[in-house]
Amino acid sequence: MSTHTAAPRRAPATVALAWLTCAVLALTGTACGSGDGGAPVRSPVQDLVSRGTVPGAAKLSQDAHGVAGFRTAGVADVRTGRRIGLTDRFRVGSITKTVVATVVLQLVAEHRLGLDDPAAGHLPARTAALLRGNGENGHERGPASVGDTARNADKSGITVRQLLDHTSGLFSYTDDRAFHRDFFGTGFAAHRFESHDPGALVRTALAHPPYAPPGTRYRYSNTDYLLLGMVIRQVTGHSYATEARRRVIEPLRLTGTSFPGTRTGLPTPHGRAYTGSRDVTELNPSAAGAAGEMISTLPDLNRLFGALLRGELLPARELRLMRDTTASRGRYGMGLYPVRLPCRRTVWGHDGVINGSYVRVLGTADGGRVVSYRVNGDAGVPAGGERRLVRAEFCAGR
């Protein structure tokens, strides 16, 4: 869950051997290749590890020929010294939004949903009433200065499109002070295993005035995608997780990807996740829901984004809409955002942050090259190191 304001084909034997050698060297903390004097070249992955905050990092790149390169630095478990494995499961946070947006746009392509439909028309009655401002909020955690008029303002004009591109103006429930304290802050230990109902989380958001009138300004809000998860259920009769499995995960054979619901652990194999020195691996991800509950692996994420960008999951029109950043003035489309590089190349992807995990996936517009990387901490990675990694992957030789 982010607060962003923003099966490979088999390689030839010789290439596969080079990849295996690279992986072994990476596991010893040494990067592949050498400098002018024969000394090992430092991998940008090593720059993502920080003493005391980010114990381990890993990166998986894949080109148009299916050739993959996997590198790691640091450890997956500070207690045992275990290294990060290629198929380790981890929480991907807001990359969940890319899958949810894909399902919504598939429903649009099937004419079961319209982008300019009022979202309230595709929501459960109680939530729709709250958006219309004539329902009981039932939430008392908002700041005392927020008046009933602001809380109960009519938001029924918010469209499906505005939820997808974060121009709804709705307050993000993760910005609520009490929620943030309980899920990310000092209250985490006491509340980490509590279950959260999406309707209640929406009420948390609607206890606050909106950031802006609908359609007037881009502001990233986790509430938008909670509502889209509810829209999917109302339109299809199935949960967003069920529809995502049927429409995305199973067709692409993403064997390491799952929606845990209220399950607190990670499937095996997996390392550990850390907030500073605190192990936060086990938690109830229903606090993230459709905004960020998904679990995945680096190979699955590469396959997912490669297929999406190549047009294997959406018709051409809906894929163009997904990459249309007009409403956000170039910052966000619908479940994807652009990254413009100094080598005059633009790549597309998404990131995700949740307790103990940060991950990002980026790919060329045609899906020919995809890179995913992750760390097992949530304190943030050095911006310079992240820039060097992305530029090395997409700008080398340009």
Side-chain angles (χ1 to χ4, degrees), residues 289-356:
E293 71 157 290
M294 198 169 78
I295 292 168
S296 194
T297 66
L298 292 179
D300 275 11
L301 292 178
N302 277 14
R303 193 174 302 126
L304 166 65
F305 278 76
L308 177 62
L309 294 168
R310 286 192 298 271
E312 295 176 18
L313 294 174
L314 289 172
R317 175 181 176 272
E318 280 66 35
L319 184 56
R320 284 195 300 272
L321 288 168
M322 199 174 203
R323 293 193 287 218
D324 183 353
T325 63
T326 304
S328 66
R329 298 185 179 181
R331 288 180 286 180
Y332 199 92
M334 298 180 180
L336 287 176
Y337 62 71
V339 176
R340 297 168 184 84
L341 301 174
C343 56
R344 298 184 180 181
R345 170 176 266 184
T346 296
V347 291
W348 293 85
H350 212 289
D351 63 344
V353 182
I354 195 168
N355 311 64

Side-chain angles (χ1 to χ4, degrees), residues 224-290:
D224 291 338
Y225 276 71
L226 274 187
L227 288 168
L228 287 171
M230 298 168 80
V231 166
I232 291 170
R233 177 181 283 280
Q234 198 72 6
V235 171
T236 67
H238 305 121
S239 70
Y240 64 86
T242 296
E243 288 295 315
R245 280 191 292 268
R246 183 174 73 84
R247 294 167 174 271
V248 178
I249 294 173
E250 291 173 0
L252 295 181
R253 299 181 181 178
L254 305 181
T255 56
T257 301
S258 61
F259 291 86
T262 59
R263 295 191 301 276
T264 59
L266 291 171
T268 56
H270 66 82
R272 309 303 295 176
Y274 299 94
T275 295
S277 60
R278 180 174 58 186
D279 189 316
V280 296
T281 308
E282 283 80 31
L283 58 85
N284 189 322
S286 61

Side-chain angles (χ1 to χ4, degrees), residues 64-102:
H65 304 290
V67 179
F70 176 60
R71 297 190 182 188
T72 74
V75 297
D77 187 326
V78 298
R79 185 177 59 85
T80 66
R82 175 188 180 277
R83 300 281 185 161
I84 294 176
L86 177 63
T87 59
D88 276 5
R89 273 68 165 170
F90 54 91
R91 303 186 194 280
V92 304
S94 282
I95 290 176
T96 308
K97 292 182 175 69
T98 303
V99 175
V100 169
T102 299

Side-chain angles (χ1 to χ4, degrees), residues 158-231:
I158 292 172
T159 65
V160 172
R161 183 192 303 271
Q162 290 163 352
L163 296 178
L164 283 165
D165 64 17
H166 293 298
T167 61
S168 73
L170 290 174
F171 185 87
S172 181
Y173 72 95
T174 51
D175 287 345
D176 176 82
R177 283 187 186 178
F179 178 89
H180 196 276
R181 180 191 63 231
D182 291 349
F183 196 68
F184 297 108
T186 57
F188 176 77
H191 298 279
R192 66 191 296 175
F193 299 122
E194 290 180 354
S195 292
H196 295 263
D197 175 74
L201 295 175
V202 170
R203 290 196 296 276
T204 296
L206 296 180
H208 298 264
Y211 297 127
T216 62
R217 183 159 66 92
Y218 165 78
R219 176 70 181 261
Y220 190 96
S221 174
N222 287 303
T223 306
D224 291 338
Y225 276 71
L226 274 187
L227 288 168
L228 287 171
M230 298 168 80
V231 166

Side-chain angles (χ1 to χ4, degrees), residues 3-26:
T3 53
H4 174 77
T5 47
R9 291 192 298 276
R10 182 170 296 175
T14 54
V15 177
L17 180 60
W19 174 80
L20 287 171
T21 304
C22 227
V24 171
L25 288 172

